[in-house]
Amino acid sequence: MEARQEAWRIYRESLPILAVSLVGGIFAGSVLGSEGMTEGFERFPGLLLLLPAFLATRGNVYGAMGARISSGLHQGMIDPEFSWDRRLVNAVGASFVNGISISIVIAVLSWGILQVLGRESARLVELVGIMLVSGVLTSVTLIFGLLALVFASYEYGLDPDNLIGPIVTTLGDIFGVVFLFVAITVVGGVF
């Protein structure tokens, strides 16, 4: 009976966030299909190639951060609050550096692949600029958003492990696409 209750608890905690994820995914898709994004893809060839990798790495990098923080909360090594904690600062710092670094790597690899294939591509500096702007904006947003949601869920007696995956992928998709649009606008104005 205890296993059934545990399964039901996990289901109860996960279902609402999965519903929010569905709505968030549809919102991200509508931004992606907007006229401004379509124009951005046409103006900066190669963006469509790097988009899946960019969105996937948001979930990978910040999902790992969320798991570290959740484990720290469960073990009593991290307090569920925004305070100076060496473990928390290290997890956040490592995730920020990884998120920015991988964004730049994605831009360089995408540009290189397009060059090897002989396909049209935006200039390397444009792709790196777009990935750098969108990478910084999504990293900052995901770090603070994830910390707030993990701490709040823990404080309300929910298990953050049940929520991290859907939260990270939803926030990564929504803010990744929105900030990619912002980055296209910024880099388009500069170049």
Side-chain angles (χ1 to χ4, degrees):
M1 189 67 168
E2 189 173 305
R4 178 179 279 173
Q5 289 173 339
E6 178 67 14
W8 179 244
R9 183 185 65 78
I10 292 169
Y11 178 75
R12 254 190 359 260
E13 290 178 8
S14 300
L15 189 60
I17 198 70
L18 290 173
V20 170
S21 294
L22 174 66
V23 172
I26 291 171
F27 173 76
S30 68
V31 171
L32 192 58
S34 70
E35 186 176 326
M37 284 296 280
T38 303
E39 291 170 2
F41 289 133
E42 291 171 0
R43 180 169 181 192
F44 299 106
L47 282 181
L48 202 52
L49 176 64
L50 58 81
L51 178 65
F54 176 68
L55 294 179
T57 56
R58 302 303 93 184
N60 295 339
V61 169
Y62 297 101
M65 182 188 95
R68 276 189 225 101
I69 293 168
S70 180
S71 295
L73 289 170
H74 287 306
Q75 296 170 356
M77 299 171 78
I78 295 177
D79 293 324
E81 58 189 35
F82 288 100
S83 63
W84 185 265
D85 179 294
R86 184 179 52 83
R87 287 181 180 91
L88 182 60
V89 170
N90 287 342
V92 167
S95 296
F96 184 77
V97 169
N98 285 340
I100 302 305
S101 300
I102 198 66
S103 296
I104 294 169
V105 168
I106 290 168
V108 172
L109 283 176
S110 296
W111 180 83
I113 289 168
L114 290 169
Q115 297 305 305
V116 167
L117 295 175
R119 298 224 174 123
E120 183 182 6
S121 173
R123 294 181 300 161
L124 178 59
V125 69
E126 293 170 332
L127 292 179
V128 169
I130 290 169
M131 285 290 95
L132 188 59
V133 170
S134 57
V136 168
L137 293 174
T138 56
S139 292
V140 169
T141 303
L142 284 174
I143 286 169
F144 287 108
L146 185 60
L147 287 175
L149 290 169
V150 167
F151 290 162
S153 67
Y154 187 79
E155 284 293 313
Y156 285 106
L158 302 173
D159 186 352
D161 289 331
N162 296 334
L163 308 175
I164 290 170
I167 288 171
V168 170
T169 55
T170 300
L171 290 177
D173 289 349
I174 291 170
F175 290 108
V177 170
V178 168
F179 289 140
L180 186 65
F181 179 75
V182 169
I184 289 168
T185 304
V186 169
V187 170
V190 172
F191 294 103

